[in-house]
Amino acid sequence: MNSPNPTTVAASPPETPPRRRAIRLPKDRQAIVDNFFRFQSLFGLVAVFLIAIAVSPSRNGENVFLSSGNLANIVRAVSEIGIIAVGMTFVILIGGIDLSVGAVLGLAAVGSATLMVDSGLGIVPTVLIVLFIGTAFGATQGAIVARLGIQSFIVTLAGLQAARGIARMWSGGLGIPIAYGDGPQEAPETFSLLSGSINGVLPVPALIFLAIGIGALLVLRSTAFARHVYAIGGNEKAARLSGVPVRRVRVTVFAISGLLAALAGIIHAGQLNQGSPNDGAGYELDAIAAVVIGGTSLAGGSGSMGGTIAGALLLGILNNILALNNIDANVQLVVKGLVIVAAAALQRLRPRIA
């Protein structure tokens, strides 16, 4: 006697999570919302600036925050992080990350001090060699990411360790002081200009940051390279099928990041009159924070250089006003963390509004 056929149960399709419904707004309100998100970093910068004025302590009836010396200190302090953040913006726009920039800064600072003080090289050959080292280091990381398909987080984390190790071997694990003069073991006096200012108002590092920022802004607005960067960050597969040289662009972007980190290292050595293998520790986190606060998506494909510049200035003002009010350093870290989370939350909210 044949047994009855077992009942066949059709497999039900897996349930898909419900999609978040976009909020539809009238056109006039939509335009307001779009402009808010487009200029969110600028609005944030203005808001923090006004708050800083309001809560600043006074000295002899003068608002300390608005004093010319304090404002100069802010832009001087921001310059190194800002230059690194410019390079980081390119990397994040393609959906990558570069954790090695702080260590590359330290390597560049050590290289600057060693080549001038120990090797007796002049400023021009020193700068060219250090910039080449930073560019080559970044390009190597980019090539590994592009050719081997390893995530940039892992590659640049390894690069961070490698750059620190090279800097320590190069310097013997010690900071190298920079003394100025024409004798042996002395650097050219011209290098000290990096710690000076124009007409006693605009610090030289801030002027360099401004020039780099404007140049990067123009590149992102008007070049085919910028369109390739945005295309890769938006959809790498589609970009490749469209003929975008994905590998070459990826290597170039990491080379730019390494170049600007090395430039920041040269400025760092000039401002502190020394090069230490420990210089730049944690700078990569501040650079990433400036980019995120500036509205660039960590997923890639969306962001602006103007936003990054505003984000770097916002962080600088925030650090300054907290320090002026003698806020505990640990509390300062918490406040900065909350600002970063708020900026990321705005990015998360933006797609929900249609």
Side-chain angles (χ1 to χ4, degrees):
M1 186 174 181
N2 295 330
S3 58
N5 291 331
T7 304
T8 302
V9 180
S12 58
E15 295 184 2
T16 57
R19 296 179 61 184
R20 295 182 301 166
R21 295 181 61 184
I23 302 172
R24 298 191 177 277
L25 300 174
K27 289 185 178 180
D28 55 343
R29 294 185 181 180
Q30 183 66 52
I32 295 174
V33 171
D34 289 342
N35 286 328
F36 170 77
F37 281 109
R38 182 180 179 184
F39 300 107
Q40 68 178 55
S41 56
L42 181 59
F43 292 146
L45 176 61
V46 172
V48 171
F49 188 85
L50 294 176
I51 292 172
I53 294 175
V55 303
S56 170
S58 298
R59 183 180 301 133
N60 298 325
E62 179 186 11
N63 188 295
V64 176
F65 174 77
L66 289 178
S67 64
S68 58
N70 184 67
L71 293 177
N73 288 336
I74 292 174
V75 293
R76 182 186 295 278
V78 162
S79 59
E80 294 174 23
I81 295 297
I83 291 172
I84 294 175
V86 168
M88 186 71 74
T89 302
F90 285 102
V91 176
I92 292 179
L93 280 174
I94 64 169
I97 201 76
D98 190 351
L99 299 179
S100 68
V101 288
V104 173
L105 180 149
L107 176 61
V110 166
S112 300
T114 302
L115 291 174
M116 287 189 295
V117 174
D118 294 341
S119 301
L121 294 183
I123 293 178
V124 173
T126 295
V127 169
L128 292 178
I129 292 172
V130 171
L131 292 180
F132 173 79
I133 291 173
T135 304
F137 196 93
T140 301
Q141 293 184 124
I144 294 173
V145 172
R147 296 287 180 178
L148 301 183
I150 305 175
Q151 291 184 350
S152 58
F153 179 91
I154 301 299
V155 173
T156 58
L157 180 62
L160 182 156
Q161 302 295 333
R164 287 286 179 213
I166 295 171
R168 288 174 182 172
M169 288 188 291
W170 200 354
S171 66
L174 302 173
I176 301 174
I178 299 177
Y180 298 105
D182 297 326
Q185 303 292 308
E186 291 180 332
E189 189 73 32
T190 309
F191 193 70
S192 65
L193 293 176
L194 288 175
S195 60
S197 57
I198 306 298
N199 295 327
V201 177
L202 182 64
V204 171
L207 185 62
I208 297 173
F209 171 41
L210 179 64
I212 295 294
I214 293 174
L217 190 66
L218 295 176
V219 168
L220 276 187
R221 284 189 173 181
S222 59
T223 65
F225 172 73
R227 292 191 289 273
H228 292 167
V229 168
Y230 281 110
I232 294 171
N235 189 323
E236 182 177 334
K237 183 177 180 180
R240 183 178 287 109
L241 293 175
S242 300
V244 174
V246 174
R247 288 183 176 178
R248 186 170 63 197
V249 172
R250 197 176 291 277
V251 172
T252 302
V253 161
F254 277 94
I256 292 172
S257 182
L259 169 67
L260 294 181
L263 175 60
I266 295 171
I267 295 172
H268 187 85
Q271 292 200 94
L272 298 186
N273 296 326
Q274 73 159 8
S276 169
N278 297 319
D279 287 341
Y283 277 33
E284 62 277 358
L285 301 181
D286 284 340
I288 294 171
V291 176
V292 172
I293 291 172
T296 298
S297 171
L298 286 173
S302 175
S304 70
M305 196 59 67
T308 293
I309 295 171
L313 291 172
L314 188 153
L315 278 178
I317 292 173
L318 187 63
N319 288 334
N320 180 264
I321 195 61
L322 291 174
L324 287 179
N325 285 278
N326 296 319
I327 302 299
D328 183 83
N330 297 317
V331 177
Q332 293 184 34
L333 294 176
V334 173
V335 172
K336 288 171 61 177
L338 292 175
V339 171
I340 295 169
V341 170
L346 281 176
Q347 291 185 17
R348 180 70 174 170
L349 177 63
R350 183 173 187 173
R352 298 184 60 186
I353 302 177

